[in-house]
Amino acid sequence: MSWLDEVSWADGLVPVIAQELGTGKVLMFAFMNREALQLTVDTGHAVYWSRSRNRLWHKGEESGHVQKVHEIRLDCDEDVLLITVEQVGGIACHTGRHNCFFRKLENDEWVTDQPVLKNPEDIYHHE
């Protein structure tokens, strides 16, 4: 049995939490399929499965903000991965922020409490 078989895949996917090396800050949440997890291990860079694009997504493929993987952990139920990464460029979110969790609930309203570090239009060059 392969180590990949020890992961409990739900519809072929496993949820992944990306945590920043050093700070422990949660940067983002995504999914991986078997191929993405194997590629992540083989390359040392985070590769996810994009449900919206229905394809593999090499984190940073457009922005250059790759995630260098330092550790991969499987939770006790074998159905969630926690990866510790070095976030190249300091931007994990497609909005140009450090992480994807930049809105918090205050007095029944979602409040943005993190600045845009780089304009997404300057990061993603769509033609």
Side-chain angles (χ1 to χ4, degrees):
M1 181 164 86
S2 161
W3 59 271
L4 283 166
D5 295 327
E6 294 183 48
V7 176
S8 179
W9 303 95
D11 295 324
L13 300 175
V14 66
V16 182
I17 300 164
Q19 183 180 40
E20 187 173 39
L21 180 69
T23 69
K25 183 172 275 200
V26 174
L27 296 174
M28 57 176 278
F29 171 87
F31 290 93
M32 287 184 182
N33 63 6
R34 289 176 73 97
E35 185 180 4
L37 181 53
Q38 184 67 64
L39 282 168
T40 296
V41 169
D42 292 347
T43 65
H45 290 146
V47 179
Y48 300 104
W49 177 258
S50 172
R51 294 182 306 160
S52 62
R53 293 178 260 183
N54 202 36
R55 68 171 180 84
L56 289 174
W57 160 44
H58 295 249
K59 179 68 177 160
E61 64 190 20
E62 291 182 47
S63 67
H65 300 143
V66 298
Q67 292 176 339
K68 295 181 182 176
V69 178
H70 286 260
E71 185 176 70
I72 301 174
R73 291 183 173 268
L74 182 62
D75 80 326
C76 59
D77 293 325
E78 301 175 339
D79 62 358
V80 177
L81 295 177
L82 173 66
I83 63 172
T84 306
V85 301
E86 174 190 341
Q87 181 61 60
V88 174
I91 296 173
C93 185
H94 74 281
T95 65
R97 291 177 174 86
H98 179 63
N99 68 66
C100 296
F101 298 96
F102 55 87
R103 296 171 71 193
K104 68 178 177 179
L105 188 60
E106 282 185 359
N107 302 317
D108 297 328
E109 289 186 43
W110 291 108
V111 177
T112 298
D113 70 348
Q114 293 181 32
V116 172
L117 301 176
K118 190 168 185 179
N119 185 329
E121 292 177 10
D122 296 335
I123 297 172
Y124 304 100
H125 306 288
H126 298 287
E127 296 174 23

